[in-house]
PDB file of all heavy atoms in Angstrom:
ATOM      1  N   LYS F 151     -31.016  -1.627  19.708  1.00  0.00           N
ATOM      2  CA  LYS F 151     -32.021  -0.559  19.686  1.00  0.00           C
ATOM      3  C   LYS F 151     -33.421  -1.144  19.791  1.00  0.00           C
ATOM      4  O   LYS F 151     -33.720  -2.184  19.195  1.00  0.00           O
ATOM      5  CB  LYS F 151     -31.902   0.244  18.391  1.00  0.00           C
ATOM      6  CG  LYS F 151     -32.928   1.364  18.278  1.00  0.00           C
ATOM      7  CD  LYS F 151     -32.762   2.173  17.002  1.00  0.00           C
ATOM      8  CE  LYS F 151     -33.876   3.187  16.859  1.00  0.00           C
ATOM      9  NZ  LYS F 151     -33.800   3.928  15.597  1.00  0.00           N
ATOM     10  N   PHE F 153     -37.752   0.193  20.063  1.00  0.00           N
ATOM     11  CA  PHE F 153     -38.712   1.278  19.836  1.00  0.00           C
ATOM     12  C   PHE F 153     -39.749   1.283  20.943  1.00  0.00           C
ATOM     13  O   PHE F 153     -40.389   0.257  21.198  1.00  0.00           O
ATOM     14  CB  PHE F 153     -39.420   1.098  18.489  1.00  0.00           C
ATOM     15  CG  PHE F 153     -38.564   1.410  17.293  1.00  0.00           C
ATOM     16  CD1 PHE F 153     -37.696   0.456  16.775  1.00  0.00           C
ATOM     17  CD2 PHE F 153     -38.618   2.659  16.689  1.00  0.00           C
ATOM     18  CE1 PHE F 153     -36.904   0.736  15.671  1.00  0.00           C
ATOM     19  CE2 PHE F 153     -37.830   2.955  15.590  1.00  0.00           C
ATOM     20  CZ  PHE F 153     -36.972   1.987  15.075  1.00  0.00           C
ATOM     21  N   HIS F 184     -35.572   4.516  20.902  1.00  0.00           N
ATOM     22  CA  HIS F 184     -36.449   5.527  20.273  1.00  0.00           C
ATOM     23  C   HIS F 184     -37.502   5.799  21.344  1.00  0.00           C
ATOM     24  O   HIS F 184     -38.384   4.971  21.585  1.00  0.00           O
ATOM     25  CB  HIS F 184     -37.070   4.978  18.986  1.00  0.00           C
ATOM     26  CG  HIS F 184     -38.121   5.882  18.402  1.00  0.00           C
ATOM     27  ND1 HIS F 184     -38.139   6.245  17.072  1.00  0.00           N
ATOM     28  CD2 HIS F 184     -39.207   6.481  18.963  1.00  0.00           C
ATOM     29  CE1 HIS F 184     -39.177   7.040  16.853  1.00  0.00           C
ATOM     30  NE2 HIS F 184     -39.846   7.186  17.980  1.00  0.00           N
ATOM     31  N   VAL F 239     -31.838   7.965  21.204  1.00  0.00           N
ATOM     32  CA  VAL F 239     -31.570   8.416  19.833  1.00  0.00           C
ATOM     33  C   VAL F 239     -32.434   9.639  19.520  1.00  0.00           C
ATOM     34  O   VAL F 239     -33.456   9.882  20.167  1.00  0.00           O
ATOM     35  CB  VAL F 239     -31.815   7.292  18.799  1.00  0.00           C
ATOM     36  CG1 VAL F 239     -30.896   6.104  19.043  1.00  0.00           C
ATOM     37  CG2 VAL F 239     -33.274   6.841  18.774  1.00  0.00           C
ATOM     38  N   HIS F 240     -32.012  10.366  18.520  1.00  0.00           N
ATOM     39  CA  HIS F 240     -32.717  11.539  17.956  1.00  0.00           C
ATOM     40  C   HIS F 240     -33.528  12.350  18.975  1.00  0.00           C
ATOM     41  O   HIS F 240     -34.732  12.567  18.792  1.00  0.00           O
ATOM     42  CB  HIS F 240     -33.568  11.143  16.747  1.00  0.00           C
ATOM     43  CG  HIS F 240     -34.539  10.000  16.904  1.00  0.00           C
ATOM     44  ND1 HIS F 240     -35.374   9.878  17.970  1.00  0.00           N
ATOM     45  CD2 HIS F 240     -34.823   8.961  16.077  1.00  0.00           C
ATOM     46  CE1 HIS F 240     -36.126   8.793  17.802  1.00  0.00           C
ATOM     47  NE2 HIS F 240     -35.810   8.218  16.673  1.00  0.00           N
ATOM     48  N   THR F 289     -39.373  11.451  12.551  1.00  0.00           N
ATOM     49  CA  THR F 289     -39.814  11.236  13.928  1.00  0.00           C
ATOM     50  C   THR F 289     -38.624  11.234  14.866  1.00  0.00           C
ATOM     51  O   THR F 289     -37.640  10.532  14.569  1.00  0.00           O
ATOM     52  CB  THR F 289     -40.554   9.899  14.051  1.00  0.00           C
ATOM     53  OG1 THR F 289     -41.669   9.952  13.149  1.00  0.00           O
ATOM     54  CG2 THR F 289     -41.087   9.666  15.447  1.00  0.00           C
TER      55      THR F 289
HETATM   56 ZN1   ZN J   2     -36.561   6.489  15.822  1.00  0.00          ZN
END
Side-chain angles (χ1 to χ4, degrees):
K151 179 178 175 184
F153 286 83
H184 172 131
V239 299
H240 52 46
T289 301

